[in-house]
Amino acid sequence: MFRSLKYRNFKLFFYGQSVSLMGTWMQKTAVSWLVYRLTGSAFLLGMVTFVSLIPSLLLSPYAGSYIDRHNRFKVMVNTQIISMLQAGALAGMIYFQYYSIPAIIALSLLQGIVNSFDVICRQTLMIDMVDNPEDLPNAIALNSTMTNLARIIGPALAGFILSTVGEDFCFISNFISYVPVLGCLYMMRIKVGATPRQQNSLWMELKEGFDYIAGEKDLKSLILLLAMSSLIVIPFTTLMPIFAKDLFHGTARTFSLFESAIGFGSVLSAVYLANLQSNKYLIRIIIIASLLFGGSILLLSFASILPLALAFMALSGMGMMAQTSAINTYIQTHAASHMRGRAISYFIMAYQGVIPVGSLAIGILAETLGPKEAVAIAGSSGIVCILVFAYYWKYSVTKNKFSIALDTPKN
């Protein structure tokens, strides 16, 4: 499971990001709780998520082409520095009790812009951090494990800190967490391949990336599945402060339990994927995981006691993690090498970029119909989406691949 950690660069990346991501989740939990505590508005709760992720929808194709043209490692170092400055500004604002919702939204937007470049850098650098390409799927799975462990520990710490020390400590902790990640990055000895001088304009490369994805039925269908999941299923997490505070009459600690439960399920799923010896069954994993994801969210909407709700949250984390990680692995291992940055940019756009639109929509839906009804619609829609995908894959993608194999001349 841990074979990718034998590579020095990946090990440094893994340890540095582990600390930083914990701080990020502490801040994310604190922001959601703070905004809902100050406003009591599901719409504004969705708005904060919307502005923090919408840049991924608008900028990801551009970021992918930009990163294909430049040194990915240097771009990632710069994004981490800017993120640290953003975290410092937010920490200072909360420390001095300047509770301005517009300022929080503006800083969330800045972080979203930075993340639209940073996430693609980190994903495309994976292959440069492991010497053996066969260990790439393991590195991706370990990276997902690290992310979701942070999702467990970060909110749990945030819940304790919010109810004891105070909100400002969560934001200060995130600011400090960038110190080890920057230290690890500067210790890495990574050699990124020389970026060839581009003859085409950036806009022409954007078109080439779009045409490439549109022409590959398997990649296109997976990206569309992820986009639909991000639009109507994954945004259910936006409503968890409402579930914790209003439906289960809890505190910040209760909210942190919801976040930690979904993180716990995600870790179990990531461990399973990290131990896979073959990528042969990725599509089967995607279908089963998506059914689990949609079904557990649907059941969550009917849960009347907290332990049952947390159990369904853990199951939803398992499904969501397996779905997104398996799609990521499939794209990275099947996309052409010169198109990898642009292919991953469309993955990020479909994943992080579409979530804010869904978060805004589910916030409005929750205020109109109620939070439980909105979550029930999300879960049901997820089940319908994966059934449509499974039918399309069986009767279009698989058939197309079989026809190509028949038409390929034998040596």
Side-chain angles (χ1 to χ4, degrees):
M1 175 181 171
F2 300 102
R3 60 186 181 272
S4 298
L5 291 178
K6 66 186 177 184
Y7 304 112
R8 182 178 185 274
N9 288 326
F10 182 76
K11 181 164 60 176
L12 285 168
F13 170 82
F14 184 87
Y15 292 147
Q17 287 291 324
S18 296
V19 178
S20 179
L21 287 171
M22 244 186 290
T24 298
W25 275 104
M26 287 177 65
Q27 177 175 291
K28 183 179 182 298
T29 304
V31 166
S32 295
W33 184 259
L34 178 65
V35 169
Y36 192 65
R37 180 180 68 80
L38 293 174
T39 66
S41 170
F43 173 76
L44 286 176
L45 198 59
M47 175 62 73
V48 171
T49 304
F50 176 82
V51 299
S52 67
L53 294 175
I54 192 62
S56 294
L57 177 63
L58 303 176
L59 297 178
S60 284
Y62 168 79
S65 296
Y66 179 88
I67 290 164
D68 277 343
R69 284 169 163 257
H70 296 81
N71 186 307
R72 297 186 293 274
F73 182 71
K74 289 182 179 179
V75 174
M76 186 171 71
V77 171
N78 290 333
T79 59
Q80 294 296 306
I81 292 172
I82 298 172
S83 294
M84 185 179 186
L85 295 175
Q86 183 269 352
L90 189 56
M93 189 178 76
I94 303 303
Y95 180 79
F96 291 106
Q97 298 184 356
Y98 179 65
Y99 298 130
S100 169
I101 298 299
I104 292 174
I105 290 174
L107 286 171
S108 298
L109 176 62
L110 173 61
Q111 186 62 50
I113 294 172
V114 175
N115 278 343
S116 63
F117 288 83
D118 178 66
V119 174
I120 298 173
C121 279
R122 281 189 277 128
Q123 293 293 336
T124 55
L125 272 170
M126 287 289 175
I127 200 166
D128 296 305
M129 294 181 194
V130 293
D131 298 335
N132 187 351
E134 291 183 1
D135 288 329
L136 176 62
N138 177 258
I140 293 172
L142 280 181
N143 184 56
S144 298
T145 305
M146 167 184 65
T147 302
N148 288 290
L149 274 173
R151 187 168 190 165
I152 295 174
I153 300 171
L157 286 174
F160 173 76
I161 291 170
L162 286 170
S163 58
T164 55
V165 183
E167 295 160 340
D168 54 348
F169 195 81
C170 286
F171 295 98
I172 293 171
S173 297
N174 183 45
F175 171 69
I176 296 172
S177 74
Y178 282 98
V179 174
V181 70
L182 285 170
C184 287
L185 287 176
Y186 284 117
M187 290 170 64
M188 290 170 66
R189 295 192 295 268
I190 190 167
K191 294 181 179 179
V192 180
T195 305
R197 186 176 182 82
Q198 303 295 331
Q199 301 298 324
N200 298 329
S201 67
L202 184 60
W203 296 110
M204 182 63 70
E205 290 190 7
L206 288 174
K207 182 179 183 302
E208 287 178 358
F210 178 82
D211 291 341
Y212 173 73
I213 294 297
E216 299 289 330
K217 282 191 173 184
D218 54 344
L219 301 184
K220 178 178 67 176
S221 62
L222 287 169
I223 288 174
L224 287 174
L225 170 66
L226 185 60
M228 292 305 298
S229 182
S230 299
L231 179 65
I232 57 182
V233 190
I234 295 176
F236 88 98
T237 56
T238 303
L239 303 180
M240 290 309 99
I242 301 174
F243 270 63
K245 187 173 186 293
D246 296 342
L247 299 183
F248 290 100
H249 311 292
T251 63
R253 285 191 178 185
T254 311
F255 174 45
S256 73
L257 287 176
F258 275 87
E259 290 285 4
S260 295
I262 197 170
F264 176 73
S266 299
V267 167
L268 294 180
S269 187
V271 169
Y272 168 76
L273 292 172
N275 280 286
L276 283 179
Q277 299 299 316
S278 170
N279 295 323
K280 182 179 180 181
Y281 300 107
L282 282 176
I283 299 303
R284 185 181 299 179
I285 291 172
I286 291 167
I287 293 173
I288 294 172
S290 300
L291 286 172
L292 175 63
F293 188 25
S296 58
I297 293 174
L298 179 59
L299 292 172
L300 172 65
S301 67
F302 295 103
S304 57
I305 58 175
L306 182 60
L308 196 58
L310 295 177
F312 291 138
M313 284 294 290
L315 289 175
S316 71
M318 291 176 64
M320 180 173 66
M321 165 63 209
Q323 180 197 62
T324 54
S325 185
I327 291 175
N328 183 5
T329 302
Y330 187 97
I331 291 174
Q332 291 223 40
T333 54
H334 287 76
S337 58
H338 68 287
M339 287 287 183
R340 186 175 291 114
R342 277 163 281 188
I344 288 298
S345 73
Y346 279 97
F347 166 82
I348 299 300
M349 182 174 68
Y351 179 35
Q352 291 192 352
V354 178
I355 289 176
V357 180
S359 296
L360 199 60
I362 202 169
I364 296 172
L365 193 63
E367 288 201 340
T368 305
L369 301 178
K372 284 195 171 185
E373 290 75 9
V375 170
I377 292 172
S380 303
S381 301
I383 294 172
V384 172
C385 285
I386 191 55
L387 292 177
V388 172
F389 169 83
Y391 179 86
Y392 176 80
W393 188 275
K394 181 177 181 180
Y395 293 103
S396 182
V397 176
T398 305
K399 184 178 179 181
N400 181 63
K401 286 182 174 292
F402 181 70
S403 300
I404 292 173
L406 289 178
D407 293 339
T408 301
K410 297 181 179 179
N411 292 329

